[in-house]
Amino acid sequence: MEERKLLHSFLAKSQKGLPPRTMKDSYIEVFLPLGSQPELREKYLTVQNTVRFGRILEDLDSLGVLICYMHNKIHSAKMSPLSIVTALVDKIDMCKKNLSPEQDIKFSGHVSWVGKTSMEVKMHMFQLHGNDFSPVLDATFVMVARDSENKGPAFVNPLILESPEEEELFQQGELNKGRRVAFSSTSLLKMAPTAEERTTIHEMFLNTLDPKTISFRSRVLPANSVWMENSKLKSLDICHPQERNIFNRIFGGFLMRKAYELGWATACNFGGSRPFIVAVDDIMFQKPVEVGSLLFLSAQVCFTQGNYIQVRVHSEVASLQDKEHMTTNVFHFTFMSEKEVPLVFPRTYGESMLYLDGQRHFKSMSAPVTLKRNYVVEP
């Protein structure tokens, strides 16, 4: 960090002082040679001989940061004066392709939208099938630039658009930003549920009334249903120095992997069969996690429909000296089970809000995914 203090002189006073860059300037392809270098395979291998999706999340987070550094590269400086950090995982959509631990994987990506201090990164993942690379997933991350000591915002290079396709990508970035603002402004932590959502919750409440007593206090679960409070799993991790980034904070990819693995276990425990990841969205990095923190993760099934399971993972930390807990992240994962899963019913008003929030995230999924037997992406 002492070395990084010397980089302050390379920081731009305004965005106008930075040279514009193209999408091609930040484009990169990275190969994960699982097939040609078997010694790498064990790190990515599950007991079912499939690929650990939690490891893929770590790789996507690292790649997103690298792409942003390429967009803002200063050729006269040996080290970048910027601190690039992940602000948000906007969306990860899975394609209907299998993921084998014995075939090479290719990642590609570039900066697709730029603000004053933030950047949107589009990334794609492919896996070798025969002689061709087939698509596996599409990911959209939002990264922010901080100064060399990660103490305040920093300007990023503006973006030049060179084709109608690039203009469309940039416009999609603008729409994504507007959608996130709109989604945040209608959050159930700020506004009451809509009339339709209130009707949904009231009907669920009526369906749990005991027909014998017809009492507000007496609640009975309908057939093939589970109380939401009984769908929880929790975990605790100690954040060791091994998982730190260059700013001496815990690597965001590590947090995503741990949250995903707990979410997968929750969906597996709830559905009674192996779940498959369909979508990841709206992961907001609210606070950095310090080395030495205790990381508390709490996963809960908050919405189900047919074979789909929506899991919410809440992340909070506490230092060894201070027992006060602070929320750092909330993760949203959409899984699909091999068989139809029970309905989940809220018992309290707070759980009803979690149910509606889960329903909103489920409905925001790009498109329903048809489950295939060779669709094997696991923690």
Side-chain angles (χ1 to χ4, degrees):
M1 295 306 293
E2 288 300 319
E3 287 181 28
R4 294 193 63 81
K5 286 181 182 180
L6 304 176
L7 297 172
H8 266 282
S9 60
F10 289 98
L11 291 170
K13 298 295 187 289
S14 71
Q15 194 175 37
K16 292 180 180 178
L18 292 168
R21 298 285 162 77
T22 67
M23 292 189 187
K24 292 177 184 176
D25 288 332
S26 62
Y27 180 81
I28 189 172
E29 290 185 356
V30 177
F31 290 86
L32 180 61
L34 295 181
S36 51
Q37 295 185 23
E39 62 271 15
L40 282 176
R41 202 173 295 161
E42 189 163 333
K43 179 182 176 182
Y44 289 83
L45 197 61
T46 72
V47 69
Q48 288 88 12
N49 199 38
T50 59
V51 172
R52 295 175 62 182
F53 185 68
R55 292 293 189 194
I56 300 301
L57 288 176
E58 289 184 316
D59 291 341
L60 288 172
D61 192 52
S62 297
L63 180 62
V65 172
L66 176 60
I67 288 169
C68 290
Y69 275 123
M70 292 182 66
H71 175 82
N72 295 281
K73 188 173 182 179
I74 300 176
H75 297 284
S76 59
K78 293 183 179 180
M79 189 184 299
S80 174
L82 298 180
S83 304
I84 306 293
V85 296
T86 307
L88 173 75
V89 178
D90 184 78
K91 180 74 74 174
I92 300 175
D93 289 317
M94 304 298 300
C95 304
K96 294 179 288 185
K97 297 290 180 183
N98 67 328
L99 207 52
S100 164
E102 298 176 359
Q103 300 293 333
D104 287 358
I105 286 172
K106 179 177 75 173
F107 296 95
S108 67
H110 60 85
V111 170
S112 55
W113 175 90
V114 168
K116 288 187 177 181
T117 62
S118 60
M119 297 156 283
E120 181 186 270
V121 177
K122 292 280 188 188
M123 291 175 283
H124 309 281
M125 177 178 164
F126 308 85
Q127 184 160 50
L128 192 62
H129 288 278
N131 296 321
D132 299 316
F133 279 97
S134 300
V136 173
L137 64 80
D138 298 318
T140 304
F141 282 44
V142 177
M143 324 298 283
V144 294
R146 311 276 292 171
D147 63 29
S148 54
E149 296 180 82
N150 197 14
K151 291 182 177 179
F155 294 105
V156 298
N157 293 65
L159 187 64
I160 294 178
L161 308 177
E162 297 185 310
S163 68
E165 290 78 14
E166 291 186 357
E167 289 177 4
E168 186 177 342
L169 274 176
F170 188 87
Q171 187 59 37
Q172 184 59 53
E174 290 282 353
L175 293 174
N176 289 342
K177 181 182 177 182
R179 172 180 50 80
R180 289 191 293 268
V181 171
F183 200 86
S184 175
S185 64
T186 58
S187 166
L188 292 165
L189 293 172
K190 299 176 182 178
M191 293 184 64
T194 65
E196 182 182 357
E197 289 174 334
R198 291 196 296 269
T199 300
T200 297
I201 292 303
H202 189 65
E203 288 177 350
M204 294 184 77
F205 173 74
L206 294 179
N207 285 337
T208 62
L209 290 181
D210 189 342
K212 296 178 181 178
T213 62
I214 314 297
S215 166
F216 286 118
R217 292 185 177 182
S218 184
R219 307 281 295 279
V220 177
L221 265 177
N224 193 34
S225 302
V226 177
W227 289 120
M228 188 184 290
E229 64 188 16
N230 295 328
S231 68
K232 289 182 182 179
L233 284 181
K234 296 185 178 184
S235 71
L236 168 65
D237 279 281
I238 302 171
C239 297
H240 294 291
Q242 180 186 5
E243 308 298 342
R244 64 184 168 178
N245 58 24
I246 61 173
F247 314 114
N248 210 32
R249 302 277 175 72
I250 295 301
F251 173 47
F254 168 77
L255 301 175
M256 285 196 284
R257 174 167 65 85
K258 301 303 291 189
Y260 170 78
E261 290 176 351
L262 182 64
W264 185 90
T266 303
C268 183
N269 186 57
F270 181 87
S273 64
R274 186 173 58 178
F276 304 86
I277 186 66
V278 171
V280 181
D281 74 317
D282 197 28
I283 299 176
M284 179 74 74
F285 288 82
Q286 299 176 22
K287 291 182 182 297
V289 177
E290 303 291 343
V291 173
S293 299
L294 298 177
L295 176 67
F296 296 88
L297 294 174
S298 177
Q300 185 168 25
V301 175
C302 54
F303 177 80
T304 59
Q305 179 177 302
N307 289 39
Y308 290 102
I309 306 171
Q310 189 71 35
V311 178
R312 178 183 187 269
V313 182
H314 179 261
S315 166
E316 56 186 19
V317 295
S319 68
L320 295 174
Q321 296 79 25
D322 186 359
K323 294 183 179 180
E324 183 182 0
H325 288 215
M326 292 189 302
T327 297
T328 60
N329 304 80
V330 178
F331 304 84
H332 301 275
F333 302 107
T334 307
F335 294 95
M336 178 182 278
S337 179
E338 291 177 319
K339 59 185 181 182
E340 191 165 326
V341 299
L343 294 173
V344 63
F345 272 81
R347 194 194 289 267
T348 66
Y349 186 80
E351 288 179 346
S352 297
M353 296 305 99
L354 288 178
Y355 180 91
L356 293 178
D357 188 53
Q359 185 183 58
R360 288 181 179 185
H361 280 95
F362 176 76
K363 287 182 176 179
S364 73
M365 188 170 56
S366 297
V369 174
T370 303
L371 182 66
K372 292 187 176 182
R373 289 194 176 275
N374 62 351
Y375 187 91
V376 283
V377 184
E378 296 191 2

